[in-house]
Amino acid sequence: TSLDKRWVITPCGGIDKIGSFVALFGGNRLDIAVFTDFRTGVKNKVKNWESLGILRHDRTFLAGIYAGQEEADVEDVLGRDLYVELVNECYNLLKKHQRIPASKPANASAMVVEEVAAHFAGFPAGSPMFDHYAPATYLVENASKFRGSLPGMSDALNRFERLFKDLNRLLPKQ
């Protein structure tokens, strides 16, 4: 199941900016659903937006629900195995000391983006710096190369299918 073509995806830059977007779109009587990352600091913001009537609880979808962990970004919905391999490919991390390990280090964050950022922080001067958007761009530009070859792709597709089904249920029947 894919995301229904009637949905219009509008990145808003985080939960802090959602109020402005909802005010802008809500004035046009548009039905809005929100998919957002979720961490401890965001929890209160989401509850606040819901209590003010800016967001509706039944139209707020948190990444952690689909990633199977309390705190999560969209990258966690992709899954650690897939995302780590994507980052390794994106940055061409071939050297053993630079490649992100297949097994999650014991002290790593539960959130894969934080784990990857910490890994890059240990690189010597002159090494590539981690850019949160580079792996997404790389995936879009090289989608045909990765079709079915990234580890955990089937699981990632299943998690996103669950999100898409939940979102599609909000739309009127055609």
Side-chain angles (χ1 to χ4, degrees), residues 4-145:
D4 191 293
K5 293 183 187 312
R6 292 177 287 170
W7 283 111
V8 176
I9 299 172
T10 307
C12 70
I15 198 71
D16 289 328
K17 298 176 185 162
I18 197 69
S20 301
F21 276 84
V22 171
L24 176 67
F25 294 128
N28 294 325
R29 299 190 190 279
L30 296 176
D31 287 326
I32 296 169
V34 174
F35 173 72
T36 186
D37 58 354
F38 197 67
R39 24 186 111 201
T40 304
V42 172
K43 187 183 295 187
N44 290 334
K45 291 175 187 172
V46 169
K47 287 181 182 178
N48 185 46
W49 290 127
E50 289 174 348
S51 70
L52 293 171
I54 293 170
L55 295 179
R56 287 180 38 192
H57 179 71
D58 62 337
R59 291 181 158 267
T60 304
F61 299 87
L62 308 173
I65 292 169
Y66 302 94
Q69 58 192 58
E70 182 147 341
E71 295 186 341
D73 286 321
V74 69
E75 293 85 356
D76 296 300
V77 180
L78 285 171
R80 185 192 180 277
D81 292 345
L82 187 152
Y83 190 71
V84 163
E85 186 59 28
L86 179 62
V87 171
N88 283 331
E89 289 284 328
C90 174
Y91 286 94
N92 198 22
L93 300 180
L94 299 176
K95 297 179 182 173
K96 189 174 181 181
H97 72 279
Q98 287 188 333
R99 192 164 181 78
I100 301 167
S103 297
K104 184 176 197 154
N107 62 343
S109 169
M111 297 174 68
V112 70
V113 168
E114 291 180 5
E115 176 191 344
V116 169
H119 182 80
F120 273 70
F123 287 179
S127 297
M129 294 183 62
F130 178 62
D131 173 359
H132 184 257
Y133 299 103
T137 301
Y138 187 78
L139 179 59
V140 169
E141 291 173 352
N142 297 280
S144 61
K145 171 184 174 183

Side-chain angles (χ1 to χ4, degrees), residues 141-163:
E141 291 173 352
N142 297 280
S144 61
K145 171 184 174 183
F146 294 120
R147 196 164 311 252
S149 69
L150 286 172
M153 180 66 83
S154 179
D155 291 335
L157 290 173
N158 288 337
R159 287 187 290 272
F160 276 98
E161 180 179 46
R162 184 174 155 225
L163 169 62

